[in-house]
Amino acid sequence: MHYLGAVKREDLEDCGLRVELNARHLLLVLLAQQQQKFEAAEANLPDIETANTRVARMYRKGVHEAILSTIEELVSSVQKLCALGCDLVANDSHALPKYIMAGGMPCNTASSETDTEDSSRSKRARVESSLEQFLSTVLITEAAFESDSEFALAAAQVDVDEDTLLALFVIRLLHNPSSAWHAAIKRLEDFKHPMLVAGQSEEYAEMLMELYEIHEALFPVLSETFPEVFPAEQFSLDGFLWAAGVVSALDVRVVVRSDGAAAGGLCVV
């Protein structure tokens, strides 16, 4: 699949950019594991030269080359998707899937760049820098807290897990028009996590109870301790349930190296 170039809306509207990135991460992890197993087995093969072993060696070489070329293609496609994500943010657009944006703004994943096999240094440098840009300016992680010094200072004193901190930060972003992520979060204002509207299943009840308990443990204490950062009217239970749903539904793992290493965060484009 090629997404940079003549990108059509239907290419991403069913699953979205986040799912495409997560799928490539999973495939790359599996291929990296197969590559390691293959190379370990290859190192232990007996050094016997016969017609059959020559054929087997050629076959194994072909398999290994196929694994390596597939890994290279996956890494390249991740870099292109990250470049697309940066373009979407620059154009105040998104590639969120239909199930999230039903009734909301239409996806706009068009790009003016043509999709060629050009491997010039300038293009490669642009794509690689787009990966770094995506991780630092598009993906919302704990590192993003530094963009809001008041929140970062308060968050450093709150002993909760990363997902809860991200949920609190999402609420903060929703009410902070000066934030670079405000427009993207604002698009999700009417989003409801499927688990939170699915019905009274046992799993639903457990998830809801856990979120209730987290919110009860944090508020009103945080609102009283840091009133400017966590105003009570913004950090209500309903607001926290919404933000927790956003964090749960839009998490992403982005491949950063061909060995399967990845960075994680929240993808809201």
Side-chain angles (χ1 to χ4, degrees):
M1 297 182 184
H2 299 285
Y3 290 100
L4 277 183
V7 182
K8 304 300 183 182
R9 172 183 171 180
E10 58 268 20
D11 286 333
L12 288 177
E13 69 175 359
D14 287 332
C15 58
L17 181 64
R18 165 191 161 271
V19 173
E20 289 289 347
L21 288 169
N22 276 340
R24 282 160 175 73
H25 165 63
L26 178 58
L27 286 172
L28 190 55
V29 168
L30 294 173
L31 284 169
Q33 290 174 349
Q34 289 301 314
Q35 179 188 356
Q36 291 173 1
K37 291 178 181 178
F38 183 91
E39 292 176 349
E42 192 76 5
N44 294 323
L45 289 176
D47 189 15
I48 301 174
E49 189 67 24
T50 67
N52 287 338
T53 58
R54 283 194 294 271
V55 171
R57 192 174 294 114
M58 290 177 61
Y59 171 76
R60 291 194 300 271
K61 181 181 178 182
V63 171
H64 193 208
E65 289 177 349
I67 291 175
L68 293 177
S69 65
T70 303
I71 288 175
E72 183 179 350
E73 176 64 24
L74 280 171
V75 171
S76 176
S77 70
V78 167
Q79 293 171 340
K80 290 178 180 180
L81 283 171
C82 288
L84 172 59
C86 294
D87 289 343
L88 291 172
V89 170
N91 292 312
D92 193 24
S93 189
H94 69 89
L96 294 166
K98 289 186 292 186
Y99 77 91
I100 287 178
M101 291 303 298
M105 294 175 61
C107 295
N108 177 12
T109 58
S111 171
S112 60
E113 183 179 355
T114 56
D115 189 11
T116 69
E117 295 302 318
D118 180 14
S119 58
S120 66
R121 289 184 179 180
S122 60
K123 181 177 179 180
R124 186 179 302 113
R126 188 191 72 79
V127 172
E128 289 175 351
S129 65
S130 292
L131 172 59
E132 296 176 359
Q133 183 183 356
F134 184 88
L135 295 176
S136 62
T137 64
V138 180
L139 207 63
I140 301 177
T141 65
E142 284 194 67
F145 298 169
E146 296 304 319
S147 66
D148 184 340
S149 58
E150 289 184 341
F151 182 89
L153 182 62
Q157 302 177 57
V158 180
D159 185 18
V160 294
D161 61 86
E162 181 180 355
D163 284 352
T164 300
L165 283 177
L166 282 173
L168 297 176
F169 191 54
V170 164
I171 298 172
R172 177 83 166 170
L173 293 175
L174 179 65
H175 298 282
N176 182 11
S178 65
S179 168
W181 290 283
H182 172 74
I185 295 297
K186 189 71 175 175
R187 290 192 193 107
L188 299 167
E189 195 169 9
D190 295 327
F191 169 71
K192 288 181 172 54
H193 191 289
M195 275 296 296
L196 295 177
V197 294
Q200 298 297 329
S201 66
E202 182 177 346
E203 188 177 3
Y204 162 86
E206 290 177 357
M207 177 181 180
L208 207 56
M209 182 58 68
E210 181 179 357
L211 292 174
Y212 282 158
E213 291 174 352
I214 292 173
H215 185 268
E216 186 176 42
L218 295 176
F219 297 96
V221 175
L222 287 183
S223 296
E224 294 170 350
T225 308
F226 306 101
E228 298 300 321
V229 180
F230 303 107
E233 67 276 11
Q234 295 178 5
F235 289 81
S236 64
L237 175 60
D238 287 343
F240 181 71
L241 292 177
W242 164 78
V246 169
V247 171
S248 175
L250 298 180
D251 67 301
V252 68
R253 301 289 292 174
V254 182
V255 172
V256 294
R257 291 204 311 266
S258 59
D259 61 0
L266 188 61
C267 183
V268 294
V269 299

